[in-house]
Amino acid sequence: MSQRSCLSVILAAGEGTRMKSAMPKVLHAIAGLPMVAHVVKAAEAAGATGLALVIGHGADEMRKAAQKFAPKADTFVQEKRLGTAHAVLAAREAISKGYDDILVMFGDTPLIDAQALAAARQKLAEGAAVAVIGFRPPNPAGYGRLIEKGGRLVAIREEKDCSDEEKKIGFCNAGMMAVAGKHALRLLDKVGNKNAKGEFYLTDIVEIASAEGLDVVATEASFENALGINNRAELAEAEAIWQARRRREAMLSGVTLIAPETVYFSHDTEIGADTIVEPNVWFGPGVRIASGAKIHAFSHIEGATIASNCDVGPFARLRPGADLRHKAKVGNFCEVKQATIEEGAKVNHLTYIGDARVGAAANIGAGTITCNYDGYSKFFTDIGEGAFVGSNSALVAPVSIGKGGYIGSGSVITESVPDDALAFGRARQKTIPGKGKELRERFASAAAARKKAAAE
Ligand code: UD1
Ligand code: CA
């Protein structure tokens, strides 16, 4: 099948008013990726070499977004929303390039999987002119019904045009279909709009092809494949299904999720075997985790690279550019941004490390802050291998601490510290014998005097 060329025509011209959003519906994200980008990914995984995106509402925004998730796609504007067949024909120019297979997909049906598409394409390879993806929803109301006669698909009837008898059919149209390229334009051009909604229905090509004596078939896919998103409740439902699939995939590939239903992945999260993820962990986009890491509860991680055997959290926040090397440790209430934590280094408690390097085996005490920003620009802090930074230190960047450098607790470090040096940047301690008691007596009598004055 791989030698057959394939164009995916993705319909995304619907207004999506029920999303109640200023943003086009299909740009709403699932796992951090616009739903239409999930559709593009599935098309590509099923072997689509060409992509045609049919847009309408919010065309400029759509084109701009498409540059990111489908830079090779051609976009076509469907000026008037006259039905799914009309929408496919907006991409006439792309279709007429002569692809073997045309895969029609919906931009608002993001959970379609590549296997379902590939199965439909396989039918074309075996000689079918049209292969419709069917499914059996728990409640068929609202879907087009697949009308079969003698084991052959002869028509798809939209709910509004169905007879009472036809409404009883449980096998429904998921919406997506594969059409042989050599027949596509001829069939689509024959579609009329004499139906209950007065629209040009893509589904009518089934009856047209069947009447021409062409081979028309239906494949069957699971319910999720057909889940169309119309409002934010359905968006959340799709997100939940996506997350459930991804968690399962992670676990089957050797990742332990102690409470899988509380761990959230992004579309691009990479996570190695023997990593353990505790409950309530969020992975934003751009996270790569090698094997054998431990991600403790309540950590929030995005744009971070975590090498093998690292220990993160609980309650850690890793922001973009955090790069943890083998066996590094970032503990509770620490934030790391645009910084490398080299092998075996420890950033254990209540610390902010931003725009920095923490050398191998260095130890960063509780409450350390890299002061990376002066309100205008960001500056770098370099902490050498094996350095020790005492608790509650402020490292005012740009600054560096040499290899093996030792910083006294509570320091404000504004000048670089050479290798193996000890640096303090704080007031010296003064101890006055008996003064504590004297102070307490003075404060107590002042308070008593105030109370007496108030009572008079
Ligand atoms: C469609 C199918 C129906 C199927 C159902 C599955 C047709 C005629 N009907 O119905 O058999 O059971 O999907 O969910 O195909 N679009 C455009 N331009 C248009 C019209 C639609 O771009 O002029 C896009 C929409 O944005 C959407 C997709 O095509 O992404 C499907 O259109 P929609 O109106 O939702 O079709 P359904 O009524 O759901
Ligand atoms: Ca729909």
Side-chain angles (χ1 to χ4, degrees):
M1 191 177 74
S2 55
Q3 65 273 26
R4 291 175 65 93
S5 63
C6 176
L7 171 72
S8 163
V9 179
I10 298 173
L11 307 188
E15 281 186 43
T17 46
R18 281 175 283 167
M19 291 301 277
K20 309 240 159 82
S21 176
M23 185 165 76
K25 172 167 84 170
V26 297
L27 294 184
H28 284 262
I30 289 168
L33 189 71
M35 61 174 107
V36 61
H38 286 267
V39 176
V40 168
K41 270 174 102 174
E44 286 173 340
T49 44
L51 284 173
L53 207 53
V54 178
I55 57 180
H57 187 68
D60 291 338
E61 205 177 340
M62 281 290 297
R63 271 197 210 93
K64 210 169 141 211
Q67 267 157 25
K68 268 200 224 139
F69 62 77
K72 285 179 289 177
D74 289 319
T75 49
F76 299 92
V77 176
Q78 184 196 20
E79 298 288 353
K80 274 192 191 146
R81 208 175 169 284
L82 300 180
T84 43
H86 182 262
V88 177
L89 280 171
R92 184 187 292 275
E93 192 192 312
I95 298 169
S96 58
K97 283 185 182 155
Y99 288 89
D100 295 316
D101 299 350
I102 309 294
L103 266 180
V104 180
M105 302 168 69
F106 294 169
D108 65 357
T109 307
L111 299 181
I112 177 75
D113 66 37
Q115 281 101 306
L117 298 168
R121 287 193 65 202
Q122 180 58 33
K123 294 291 178 193
L124 301 189
E126 291 164 10
V130 180
V132 173
I133 299 176
F135 75 119
R136 294 177 196 277
N139 174 12
Y143 294 107
R145 307 297 205 282
L146 301 185
I147 318 275
E148 292 173 300
K149 261 195 197 114
R152 295 189 52 198
L153 186 63
V154 293
I156 301 176
R157 198 89 71 225
E158 291 307 296
E159 163 108 356
K160 283 191 173 164
D161 302 300
C162 277
S163 66
D164 288 345
E165 215 35 50
E166 286 166 341
K167 278 187 187 150
K168 289 181 191 151
I169 297 171
F171 196 27
C172 294
N173 177 24
M176 294 133 290
M177 58 178 82
V179 186
K182 60 182 174 197
H183 299 302
L185 287 176
R186 190 188 72 258
L187 296 173
L188 286 161
D189 280 327
K190 284 189 180 175
V191 172
N193 64 350
K194 289 201 182 68
N195 50 54
K197 276 169 104 182
E199 286 189 1
F200 294 88
Y201 288 158
L202 168 66
T203 44
D204 282 357
I205 69 169
V206 166
E207 202 160 354
I208 296 165
S210 177
E212 283 188 12
L214 295 169
D215 192 17
V216 182
V217 297
T219 59
E220 188 171 340
S222 67
F223 179 56
E224 291 102 78
N225 281 279
L227 189 70
I229 311 300
N230 296 303
N231 56 45
R232 298 196 200 224
E234 286 165 352
L235 182 69
E237 203 182 312
E239 175 83 37
I241 294 169
W242 190 95
Q243 292 292 343
R245 280 183 184 176
R246 183 65 189 91
R247 289 169 190 139
R248 193 175 157 73
E249 192 183 288
M251 291 185 282
L252 295 182
S253 71
V255 178
T256 294
L257 304 180
I258 294 173
E261 64 287 355
T262 67
V263 175
Y264 289 84
F265 290 98
S266 274
H267 62 99
D268 60 352
T269 308
E270 290 174 29
I271 183 160
D274 282 329
T275 283
I276 298 174
V277 182
E278 289 182 359
N280 296 298
V281 171
W282 167 269
F283 296 112
V287 174
R288 278 191 298 145
I289 302 175
S291 57
K294 270 207 182 101
I295 312 295
H296 297 284
F298 296 100
S299 293
H300 189 285
I301 301 172
E302 61 183 318
T305 304
I306 299 172
S308 53
N309 301 84
C310 283
D311 210 283
V312 173
F315 296 97
R317 175 154 188 224
L318 302 185
R319 292 172 52 204
D323 181 1
L324 277 52
R325 304 288 166 81
H326 182 64
K327 279 196 164 169
K329 200 163 181 271
V330 174
N332 37 257
F333 305 105
C334 292
E335 174 178 341
V336 177
K337 185 218 75 168
Q338 203 61 51
T340 305
I341 313 296
E342 293 185 343
E343 181 158 349
K346 289 183 183 142
V347 181
N348 275 345
H349 330 271
L350 301 147
T351 285
Y352 173 60
I353 301 290
D355 301 300
R357 175 187 76 105
V358 176
N363 191 312
I364 308 298
T368 298
I369 305 288
T370 53
C371 309
N372 59 330
Y373 187 50
D374 62 5
Y376 298 91
S377 313
K378 300 280 169 67
F379 300 95
F380 194 77
T381 299
D382 191 74
I383 301 169
E385 193 182 317
F388 181 94
V389 177
S391 295
N392 201 34
S393 292
L395 310 176
V396 183
V399 75
S400 70
I401 294 161
K403 239 171 145 176
Y406 201 105
I407 308 298
S409 296
S411 292
V412 176
I413 299 295
T414 54
E415 286 161 28
S416 290
V417 176
D419 291 358
D420 296 317
L422 168 66
F424 289 91
R426 54 161 145 98
R428 279 217 166 272
Q429 180 174 331
K430 199 170 167 188
T431 308
I432 308 169
K435 188 77 179 175
K437 189 169 178 236
E438 185 193 310
L439 267 184
R440 221 179 277 120
E441 283 162 4
R442 204 168 80 208
F443 294 156
S445 64
R450 265 197 307 276
K451 210 168 164 188
K452 197 174 165 220
E456 275 160 11

